[in-house]
Amino acid sequence: MAKIKAHAKRLRIYVGEADSWEGKSLYKALVLKAKELDLAGATVFQGCMGYGANSRIHTASLIDLSADLPIMIEIIDSAVYIEKFLPYLDLMVKEGLVTVDDIEVVKYGKKPPVR
């Protein structure tokens, strides 16, 4: 088993579930674009409650069911690949929040990564 440590970037994109891009869910479009650009991977998290810049609460409770739950897309890759993806956010994200962090990755696996 291989254990590899490396420096990387973590990109987090916070949007609403109802946000769209060219007729499809924005979060799906962002993941498909990341795949097209050969980023290492992307994960979508759906929040059960949250609020953003407009201070409107979004929740998944049955009493106050929202059709626009918070969504976070997380992508971890090298700085080069994250930088390659950022211009697409300027085109696709109309309202949301993006963070980019320096992180250290510890990867476990049978073979070393190709990058």
Side-chain angles (χ1 to χ4, degrees), residues 79-100:
V80 171
Y81 277 81
I82 295 297
E83 289 296 324
K84 183 168 73 166
F85 186 71
L86 291 177
Y88 293 95
L89 297 179
D90 292 341
L91 294 172
M92 299 170 76
V93 178
K94 301 301 179 218
E95 185 176 353
L97 177 71
V98 174
T99 63
V100 181

Side-chain angles (χ1 to χ4, degrees), residues 8-30:
K9 295 276 187 185
R10 176 177 52 207
L11 172 65
R12 286 183 171 167
I13 307 156
Y14 299 87
V15 295
E17 186 177 36
D19 294 346
S20 64
W21 169 255
E22 295 184 345
K24 68 175 79 158
S25 297
L26 176 59
Y27 68 90
K28 289 180 183 176
L30 289 168

Side-chain angles (χ1 to χ4, degrees), residues 15-81:
V15 295
E17 186 177 36
D19 294 346
S20 64
W21 169 255
E22 295 184 345
K24 68 175 79 158
S25 297
L26 176 59
Y27 68 90
K28 289 180 183 176
L30 289 168
V31 170
L32 292 174
K33 180 54 75 176
K35 174 102 172 105
E36 178 186 317
L37 295 174
D38 199 31
L39 275 74
T43 303
V44 176
F45 300 91
Q46 181 183 52
C48 59
M49 185 175 186
Y51 70 94
N54 64 14
S55 296
R56 197 173 87 237
I57 296 286
H58 302 269
T59 180
S61 76
L62 291 175
I63 296 170
D64 188 26
L65 192 59
S66 173
D68 192 21
L69 293 172
I71 296 286
M72 181 183 71
I73 303 106
E74 183 170 276
I75 300 171
I76 297 173
D77 209 325
S78 69
V80 171
Y81 277 81

